[in-house]
Amino acid sequence: MSLSLQMSIKRNVLYVRLRGELDQASVERLKYRVTEVINKYYIVHIVINLKEVPFMDSSGIGFIIGRYSQLKERKGKVVVCSMNELIERIFTLSGLKKICLVAASEDEAQNILEVA
Amino acid sequence: MNNLMSVKFLAKKENVIFARGVAGAFLVNLNLELGFLNEIKTAISEAVTNSIVHGYLCDDTKLVELSMSYDDEVVTVEIIDNGVGIEDITKAKEPLYSTKLEEERAGLGFTIMEVFTDQLLVTSIVNQGTKVKMIKKYYE
């Protein structure tokens, strides 16, 4: 299963909905497209929806760290939502919970950003 | 039940997903639970990515070998490359250490291999290559 990507923008928030497996090959393509949109539309916050992602290795962690660094200068936040059990374990292991917000769903992610 | 297999494939990033798929297919007869399969696939994904990105520095004319076997108790996996090797294995295994952090690499490959298997053995000779051996117990 290769990765497919759907993006939408609401105010200054970019919603990235992924479907497929996140590894080195798919992350490289993804990084290029998401970075382009972040710069072009002056995105401040990003919500990464992993609901349709059954598999992710540390390449996915690298991608999230990269977006965090990119948005940090704009005081933006990274919210990751709808992780499965496997991905949540890798996420916890990486220490990403210290720098990213976690939500159960995209709606919750949106609420977190409105309150923050 | 005892079984063994070995495959070689080009060091292309597109082949990491192939390696995971082959691993899953080989283990199908063991009727393992999804959690176990996902853990072993993640560990393999990390090791194969390391061989491609670090061992061969993305030279996709080179070959990576994946060998797997199982007996009644454990699954054994070996990922072998003939790449640049690792100078300091202890340092390479440190969480968050990476020689390529600027490429948005997390430095978590070996940590994930260690956490998701029961035994991790890394042997490497500079300019000759690296062998990663992982053993994971399963219960029926």
Side-chain angles (χ1 to χ4, degrees):
Chain A
M1 186 177 11
S2 62
L3 190 77
S4 70
L5 163 69
Q6 197 236 321
M7 287 189 273
S8 66
I9 299 170
K10 216 175 197 175
R11 288 191 211 101
N12 55 9
V13 184
L14 174 65
Y15 291 84
V16 179
R17 300 175 191 102
L18 302 169
R19 182 193 289 264
E21 303 194 1
L22 270 181
D23 64 9
Q24 188 60 33
S26 56
V27 158
E28 283 180 14
R29 294 193 297 272
L30 175 68
K31 178 183 152 187
Y32 176 77
R33 291 182 61 189
V34 172
T35 302
E36 198 181 30
V37 170
I38 288 175
N39 289 330
K40 195 171 172 188
Y41 298 99
Y42 202 76
I43 298 301
V44 177
H45 307 295
I46 186 169
V47 175
I48 302 169
N49 187 337
L50 300 178
K51 195 177 172 209
E52 305 289 334
V53 177
F55 179 91
M56 178 181 101
D57 64 20
S58 68
S59 308
I61 298 294
F63 170 75
I64 298 169
I65 293 172
R67 303 296 67 69
Y68 169 78
S69 308
Q70 195 182 359
L71 295 173
K72 194 171 63 176
E73 297 156 20
R74 308 174 184 182
K75 302 204 184 323
K77 290 188 168 59
V78 176
V79 190
V80 183
C81 75
S82 313
M83 287 186 272
N84 72 19
E85 200 188 326
L86 172 83
I87 297 176
E88 183 130 23
R89 276 180 67 198
I90 295 171
F91 200 82
T92 307
L93 203 71
S94 71
L96 268 188
K97 282 186 173 168
K98 288 180 199 137
I99 58 170
C100 298
L101 298 161
V102 176
S105 66
E106 208 174 291
D107 284 348
E108 195 186 304
Q110 195 176 339
N111 290 339
I112 288 172
L113 286 174
E114 277 166 9
V115 173
Chain B
M1 195 186 336
N2 286 286
N3 205 350
L4 173 81
M5 74 89 174
S6 180
V7 283
K8 282 186 182 177
F9 49 88
L10 287 176
K12 290 175 185 289
K13 289 162 190 163
E14 289 72 22
N15 279 337
V16 180
I17 193 167
F18 165 77
R20 289 198 299 273
V22 163
F26 177 66
L27 297 175
V28 116
N29 290 320
L30 293 180
N31 291 317
L32 299 164
E33 58 177 50
L34 193 63
F36 183 99
L37 282 173
N38 277 333
E39 287 177 0
I40 209 157
K41 280 186 188 179
T42 310
I44 290 170
S45 204
E46 299 295 344
V48 173
T49 303
N50 275 355
S51 284
I52 295 169
V53 174
H54 298 286
Y56 288 133
L57 305 166
C58 298
D59 176 355
D60 64 8
T61 62
K62 301 288 172 55
L63 288 166
V64 180
E65 182 180 347
L66 167 68
S67 299
M68 293 177 73
S69 63
Y70 55 79
D71 58 22
D72 293 333
E73 288 168 7
V74 299
V75 176
T76 303
V77 184
E78 286 185 354
I79 292 100
I80 301 157
D81 68 63
N82 302 304
V84 299
I86 304 168
E87 260 178 57
D88 188 340
I89 293 172
T90 312
K91 191 142 192 76
K93 280 175 156 179
E94 276 175 21
L96 310 181
Y97 175 81
S98 178
T99 51
K100 296 190 192 305
L101 276 179
E102 71 285 357
E103 290 174 22
E104 296 189 355
R105 306 204 53 78
L108 284 174
F110 281 124
T111 307
I112 288 174
M113 289 180 233
E114 253 166 1
V115 172
F116 284 1
T117 65
D118 293 295
Q119 208 182 332
L120 169 69
L121 295 160
V122 185
T123 47
S124 187
I125 301 171
V126 172
N127 293 326
Q128 286 189 37
T130 301
K131 182 168 96 174
V132 171
K133 183 176 182 177
M134 296 180 281
I135 298 170
K136 192 166 170 63
K137 285 182 217 147
Y138 69 92
Y139 305 99
E140 302 225 272

